[in-house]
Amino acid sequence: MLVLGIETSCDETGIALYCTTRGLLAHALYSQITMHQDYGGVVPELASRDHIQRLIPLTQQVLDQANCRKQDVDAIAYTAGPGLIGALLTGASFARTLAYAWHKPAIGVHHLEGHLLAPMLEANAPKPPYVALLVSGGHSMLIEVRAIGSYALLGETLDDAAGEAFDKTAQLLGLGYPGGPALAALAEHGNPSTYRFSRPLVDRPGLDFSFSGLKTQVMLAYKKLEKANAKPSDQQRADLARGFEDAITDTLAIKCKRALQQCELSTLVVAGGVGANQRLRAKLQDRAGMGAIDVHFPRIAFCTDNGAMIALAGALRLAAGQRQGLAIDATPRWELASLTSINSLPPATQLASTLPNQSPT
Ligand code: KG4
Ligand code: ZN
């Protein structure tokens, strides 16, 4: 089955072609980062307008790259939520219209399910059950993946998401948007022993995270330097970046180890934009710290939003028989735990929609 995947939940237009027998055939991504940079974050209206311009040329590009014709496509998968509603609707409308015109099925995919399954695009794909750490600009979650579509939330952030904490701290240090990669690059020049910020909530039981206090600690340290020097030096900023990055990555690693022990599992999957962080990757792969576990990451390009993970997640659901009606549906909020396990789908299930009731946000 050849599935066209369409991702438009935020500021990246991602298109891909995934074949259930041959794997990923082609993918293309247009990032709107430069457009939103002047505003220090994503402007939803601008994001929607840009997606609509990119969708058709990128789809053609991917078909050409894979040497496929439109009649070779068996089904279409698109991100139906959660995300920015205007941005989601551009992808949903395009996907459903294509499906209607081509007489093919289409399926709305949960964006986070896409992230959770992204490591399956790699050789040596992980098999459930496993624990997944999902760390992006909007989410920090530990999830027990019992089967595809069966997700139990083990812990989540009580305030800022990990990526959000990276972005806000980067802004404080005078770095651009998105801040994660820029902060990580600055931290490379930092001295690891200058600052030791706290590892939030590690001394209490449980698997929740809280990163806003850590961000405040960096801010207070920065203000102290400002008082003394007027403007902190490049080395001082790098030391702060290193202290922050060490604290956040240590915290994530400690909670991952605890989650694996709690679930009695030894496979860990890391997903979402912060999964691109090299220091986090190194800590999770360190046997001395983590024990003998099996860790899977998507390639760097598939840590952040992309069409390939949506094509894959849609293909798995379509192959299991899930079908949806013709309505164009998208939702900004959608609980991951409300998804149906693909193991429990009767063959050729006709679901009017897997989405919850629509409510304006
Ligand atoms: O998954 P993603 O593309 O979008 C969301 O669905 O949120 O994640 C984007 C987030 C941003 O906050 C960005 O700063 C962060 O991932 N990020 C990183 C790195 N690369 C991206 N954070 C830390 N280190 C990185 N190398
Ligand atoms: Zn995402």
Side-chain angles (χ1 to χ4, degrees):
M1 180 189 287
L2 183 63
V3 178
L4 179 72
I6 300 171
E7 156 62 33
T8 63
S9 65
C10 192
D11 59 345
E12 256 122 20
T13 320
I15 307 281
L17 272 171
Y18 177 83
C19 172
T20 45
T21 50
R22 293 156 65 208
L24 185 65
L25 301 189
H27 66 99
L29 187 86
Y30 181 82
S31 170
Q32 305 173 354
I33 280 177
T34 48
M35 186 175 78
H36 298 293
Q37 244 158 8
D38 293 346
Y39 306 93
V42 178
V43 183
E45 175 67 23
L46 294 182
S48 314
R49 289 187 207 180
D50 202 71
H51 283 307
I52 213 82
Q53 288 195 317
R54 310 284 165 198
L55 282 164
I56 296 177
L58 280 182
T59 301
Q60 189 57 55
Q61 183 183 323
V62 162
L63 284 168
D64 292 345
Q65 239 181 57
N67 212 5
C68 290
R69 299 158 306 160
K70 55 184 191 280
Q71 52 270 41
D72 299 328
V73 175
D74 297 307
I76 298 165
Y78 64 95
T79 304
L84 302 171
I85 189 60
L88 289 167
L89 281 169
T90 61
S93 312
F94 177 61
R96 285 253 168 247
T97 308
L98 269 190
Y100 188 65
W102 293 353
H103 305 286
K104 303 289 170 165
I107 190 163
V109 169
H110 195 294
H111 179 77
L112 299 184
E113 178 166 69
H115 275 303
L116 287 179
L117 304 184
M120 292 187 180
L121 289 161
E122 309 305 331
N124 184 26
K127 284 191 187 67
Y130 54 76
V131 167
L133 172 71
L134 180 55
V135 269
S136 69
H139 299 91
S140 297
M141 294 172 160
L142 275 162
I143 296 161
E144 184 181 358
V145 176
R146 295 173 179 148
I148 294 169
S150 173
Y151 308 120
L153 184 64
L154 301 169
E156 63 186 329
T157 182
L158 305 176
D159 39 59
D160 289 351
E164 192 181 355
F166 264 100
D167 292 340
K168 289 179 178 168
T169 307
Q171 203 174 10
L172 170 82
L173 297 176
L175 304 168
Y177 165 83
L183 189 144
L186 182 61
E188 282 300 302
H189 308 287
N191 182 340
S193 44
T194 307
Y195 290 100
R196 185 172 168 89
F197 298 117
S198 60
R199 276 64 176 149
L201 300 187
V202 297
D203 50 358
R204 287 192 228 164
L207 294 167
D208 286 335
F209 302 105
S210 167
F211 296 121
S212 82
L214 175 58
K215 186 189 67 193
T216 308
Q217 282 180 41
V218 181
M219 188 183 72
L220 293 175
Y222 187 86
K223 288 216 160 124
K224 202 168 162 189
L225 291 173
E226 266 186 331
K227 260 196 185 157
N229 313 332
K231 193 173 185 304
S233 68
D234 287 350
Q235 186 58 50
Q236 287 170 326
R237 288 165 57 249
D239 293 345
L240 283 169
R242 179 64 193 263
F244 168 81
E245 191 182 39
D246 277 343
I248 201 163
T249 51
D250 272 354
T251 307
L252 293 170
I254 291 166
K255 294 286 170 105
C256 283
K257 190 172 177 182
R258 197 179 285 178
L260 287 164
Q261 282 166 349
Q262 184 177 307
C263 298
E264 296 180 2
L265 291 171
S266 58
T267 305
L268 177 69
V269 158
V270 184
V274 181
N277 185 276
Q278 293 301 339
R279 207 167 301 281
L280 176 64
R281 288 183 170 230
K283 282 181 187 166
L284 295 177
Q285 283 170 316
D286 174 25
R287 282 193 159 229
M290 295 297 294
I293 62 163
D294 190 18
V295 196
H296 296 260
F297 303 94
R299 72 193 81 169
I300 299 288
F302 294 163
C303 282
T304 46
D305 295 348
N306 63 85
M309 66 185 194
I310 302 303
L312 169 74
L316 293 172
R317 288 193 167 274
L318 288 157
Q322 187 169 327
R323 296 289 181 272
Q324 287 175 339
L326 292 175
I328 295 169
D329 46 13
T331 184
R333 289 169 200 278
W334 188 2
E335 289 294 321
L336 192 61
S338 71
L339 295 185
T340 319
S341 163
I342 66 165
N343 295 344
S344 64
L345 286 171
T349 309
Q350 182 75 34
L351 294 178
S353 173
T354 52
L355 299 181
N357 289 336
Q358 306 294 295
S359 58
T361 301

